[in-house]
Amino acid sequence: QPSESPRWYIKKHQYSNAFKSLRRLRNTPVQAARDLYYIYAQVRLEEEALGGGDIIFSDGQEHFSGSGRYFSRFMQLFMIPRIRRATLAAFVVMIAQQMCGKVGMSLAVSINLFFAGVLTLVYPKLSDALTPTGTIGFFA
């Protein structure tokens, strides 16, 4: 069976499996035990802070719920203003990265070729003004 992360095991209260998983990742059993305790303490603090649930934003205030962990976390991407702005910024950067790669370049080349073809059909003498590759360098 594939092993899960030590954190997942601790969240499911399977401490011996968490220790075995950490033992494979660390050099000595002492380091594994230390990290087991750190992860345990962090998970317990998170559960205490969140009340075993999630942060809910309503009436301009943050509240803690006891259920609905995944759906409410997804909704936080759009409901909490600070997180909404971060989500929008990440979306804009992702689109910009996509347009700078292969997709953006193929779009620019196809637009160049389309306009070069249309212009040479409308203005036949314009074919003398084309670059050696046969396109007009709009994006060059």
Side-chain angles (χ1 to χ4, degrees):
Q1 112 189 12
S3 67
E4 296 291 338
S5 73
R7 183 179 172 85
W8 185 87
Y9 281 128
I10 290 173
K11 288 180 88 166
K12 302 298 181 192
H13 304 285
Q14 299 177 12
Y15 305 111
S16 62
N17 290 335
F19 183 73
K20 289 176 190 173
S21 180
L22 278 169
R23 184 64 185 98
R24 286 195 299 267
L25 298 171
R26 300 296 179 248
N27 293 328
T28 66
V30 173
Q31 289 176 329
R34 177 202 60 194
D35 290 347
L36 179 72
Y37 174 73
Y38 285 157
I39 295 169
Y40 173 81
Q42 182 182 22
V43 167
R44 293 299 157 248
L45 285 172
E46 288 173 4
E47 287 177 354
E48 182 181 317
L50 296 176
D54 253 334
I55 300 171
I56 296 176
F57 190 78
S58 63
D59 303 327
Q61 299 291 325
E62 288 184 357
H63 305 284
F64 298 107
S65 75
S67 62
R69 185 162 226 142
Y70 294 107
F71 182 71
S72 66
R73 287 231 174 143
F74 177 75
M75 291 307 295
Q76 288 173 10
L77 291 173
F78 308 102
M79 302 297 287
I80 298 174
R82 179 181 58 84
I83 299 175
R84 182 176 53 234
R85 288 189 296 270
T87 303
L88 179 62
F91 178 75
V92 168
V93 168
M94 181 189 70
I95 294 298
Q97 287 175 334
Q98 289 295 320
M99 292 307 293
C100 289
K102 184 178 179 181
V103 173
M105 293 307 295
S106 64
L107 179 65
V109 168
S110 64
I111 290 172
N112 273 340
L113 293 175
F114 172 76
F115 280 119
V118 168
L119 288 175
T120 55
L121 290 175
V122 175
Y123 302 104
K125 295 290 183 189
L126 188 63
S127 61
D128 297 334
L130 294 177
T131 61
T133 59
T135 62
I136 298 174
F138 289 118
F139 293 95

